[in-house]
Amino acid sequence: MKLIVDLKDRQYPIWIERKALYHIDEIINTHRKIAIIHDDAIPSKWIEIVKEQCENCVIFSFPEGENSKCFEQYQYLLQQCIDHHLSRKDAIVAIGGGVTGDLAGFVASTYMRGIDFYNIPTTILSQVDSSVGGKVAIDMGSYKNIVGSFYQPKGVLIDPDVLSTLSIRQQHNGLVEALKMGLILDENLVCEFEKEQLDIEAIITRSIDLKRQVVQEDEKENSLRKILNFGHTIGHAIEGAYGLDTYYHGECVAMGMLFFIEDKELKNRVLKIYDKLSLPAVPDYDVDTLMEFISHDKKGTQNVISVISVAKAGSYSIEEMNYEQIRLKLLRGAYEESNRK
Ligand SMILES: O=C(O)C(=O)C[C@@H](O)[C@H](O)[C@H](O)COP(=O)(O)O
């Protein structure tokens, strides 16, 4: 299946197909130097399959984990591009999860003021969400995505077969972002999580198509796109406060969403799905510590933050909340309005 992200002055394809990894020229112009960027944990077979299809290829790798979304690795990768004489006509291909897409995309957006980049997402999180939409960034210390840009890929190649080597924890971590998409935009997608057997390919396709539609509507997150940040205000704070590699990103988003689901029945529905995905419970956090992280939220101004709430599955509201209101949410806790004590 091919979906098109249509941004009026430019478009790019999202190709979702088993075995697509063996046909990258369907999406990628390989008649130039290609710099493949990946982390050091990705199975080498996926890199080999792509490398074989490139006539002129260099490969740069970095240590796995969120901690690599940092200036040191950003600088290292830029230096590799320089040392290997990448020109403006060449391209970067990010093969990996959200960290790889964000880091490699940011390198592509700034090297020589921007060269082509393509995403080949290999985790559920990147296949359902982060590979599309052009949010590329690095972290500063524990502040997530605080340095970055909106820089769209030239194409996204999604091959569900590459998920076969993913750990269960990573699979469940990524599924949270698809559940998020269902909670804000499509109750039928939420229902997919309540089936005995999860149809991962259907979940990926539906989630990334919803993401595509939102990005088309509001590429630079001036309004509608803020809804994709549901759960992230408190989620990013927990992720930063506990160290970027303690909890995975999706696990933190799952925690963050609970604070903004007001309906008891819906929250219990969501908690049942979390149990099915063996997601970690919200830790005993320090309110002041989280508030410090929240004060750097990109949807915030000096006095208020745009926060997203879900009262009914498949719907959302965006509200400007002051910091005191957010603090009260934290004081009240995540499990209010639920049967979980
Ligand atoms: O694409 C978006 O817009 C999102 O908010 C998607 C999020 O799920 C994703 O984690 C994103 O990277 C977070 O964005 P940020 O702007 O909060 O850094």
Side-chain angles (χ1 to χ4, degrees):
M1 169 192 284
K2 257 191 198 155
L3 303 169
I4 299 293
V5 180
D6 183 352
L7 299 166
K8 306 289 183 282
D9 59 341
R10 64 227 191 280
Q11 301 179 340
Y12 63 92
I14 306 168
W15 184 32
I16 308 169
E17 198 77 46
R18 289 189 182 284
K19 304 282 178 254
L21 202 64
Y22 292 85
H23 308 283
I24 65 168
D25 57 359
E26 181 76 19
I27 294 275
I28 301 172
N29 164 10
T30 55
H31 305 296
R32 51 182 163 171
K33 186 177 280 188
I34 298 287
I36 292 175
I37 295 182
H38 67 89
D39 72 28
D40 59 8
I42 193 167
S44 55
K45 63 181 173 182
W46 305 140
I47 307 301
E48 283 311 307
I49 291 168
V50 174
K51 180 185 169 198
E52 290 307 305
Q53 301 173 69
C54 300
E55 57 194 59
N56 182 356
C57 175
V58 287
I59 299 178
F60 312 148
S61 76
F62 61 87
E64 181 201 22
E66 183 72 29
N67 288 321
S68 281
K69 262 177 68 174
C70 63
F71 275 105
E72 183 193 344
Q73 294 303 331
Y74 168 65
Q75 184 179 4
Y76 163 74
L77 292 169
L78 285 172
Q79 190 61 56
Q80 292 297 304
C81 292
I82 293 166
D83 296 350
H84 290 82
H85 302 283
L86 235 62
S87 79
R88 269 188 168 158
K89 296 284 174 245
D90 299 325
I92 284 174
V93 174
I95 307 180
V99 169
T100 305
D102 289 4
L103 175 61
F106 189 47
V107 170
S109 76
T110 48
Y111 179 68
M112 292 194 172
R113 293 198 185 90
I115 67 170
D116 288 356
F117 102 97
Y118 297 84
N119 263 323
I120 300 182
T122 61
T123 65
I124 290 185
L125 184 137
S126 51
Q127 292 195 0
V128 303
D129 180 18
S130 64
S131 59
V132 167
K135 277 191 176 181
V136 293
I138 54 174
D139 308 325
M140 266 192 75
S142 295
Y143 293 105
K144 284 275 294 184
N145 305 333
I146 204 87
V147 175
S149 41
F150 287 94
Y151 192 71
Q152 302 294 338
K154 291 291 180 216
V156 180
L157 185 150
I158 295 177
D159 181 339
D161 284 347
V162 305
L163 301 176
S164 58
T165 55
L166 215 51
S167 71
I168 294 296
R169 185 183 174 195
Q170 274 294 9
Q171 291 183 39
H172 292 174
N173 172 59
L175 285 171
V176 170
E177 292 282 13
L179 176 61
K180 172 202 76 178
M181 219 59 99
L183 285 168
I184 56 178
L185 290 171
D186 179 5
E187 178 166 20
N188 291 330
L189 181 51
V190 177
C191 297
E192 284 293 331
F193 286 85
E194 296 168 316
K195 291 180 179 172
E196 191 59 34
Q197 191 62 37
L198 292 187
D199 182 343
I200 300 293
E201 205 165 326
I203 289 171
I204 291 168
T205 305
R206 183 63 181 142
S207 179
I208 206 69
D209 190 26
L210 288 166
K211 170 91 185 233
R212 177 187 68 86
Q213 294 172 51
V214 171
V215 168
Q216 283 185 167
E217 197 68 33
D218 176 24
E219 180 188 357
K220 300 280 178 76
E221 195 178 66
N222 297 310
S223 51
L224 178 69
R225 186 168 181 172
K226 290 179 181 175
I227 67 174
L228 301 180
N229 228 241
F230 174 46
H232 285 65
T233 295
I234 292 179
H236 274 164
I238 292 171
E239 202 172 350
Y242 287 82
L244 292 175
D245 270 339
T246 304
Y247 295 110
Y248 290 168
H249 173 69
E251 294 170 347
C252 296
V253 172
M255 296 176 193
M257 290 195 287
L258 292 175
F259 292 87
F260 295 97
I261 295 175
E262 294 302 326
D263 176 74
K264 183 171 180 173
E265 197 183 313
L266 178 59
K267 188 174 278 193
N268 286 328
R269 226 178 127 187
V270 168
L271 286 169
K272 272 208 191 89
I273 293 170
Y274 285 9
D275 288 345
K276 185 174 179 180
L277 299 178
S278 330
L279 295 173
V282 180
D284 287 333
Y285 49 78
D286 174 76
V287 172
D288 291 332
T289 303
L290 295 196
M291 285 306 296
E292 165 53 24
F293 280 96
I294 289 167
S295 69
H296 296 274
D297 188 291
K298 295 179 285 299
K299 303 184 302 304
T301 61
Q302 294 314 317
N303 311 310
V304 293
I305 291 188
S306 305
V307 290
I308 297 85
S309 299
V310 168
K312 186 168 152 299
S315 71
Y316 63 85
S317 61
I318 303 177
E319 187 185 344
E320 304 299 311
M321 266 191 191
N322 63 42
Y323 290 90
E324 195 43 41
Q325 288 172 296
I326 304 264
R327 177 182 287 275
L328 288 175
K329 287 271 184 191
L330 289 171
L331 288 169
R332 197 180 74 166
Y335 298 108
E336 281 292 305
E337 303 296 333
S338 78
N339 295 327
R340 197 177 204 184
K341 288 289 166 247

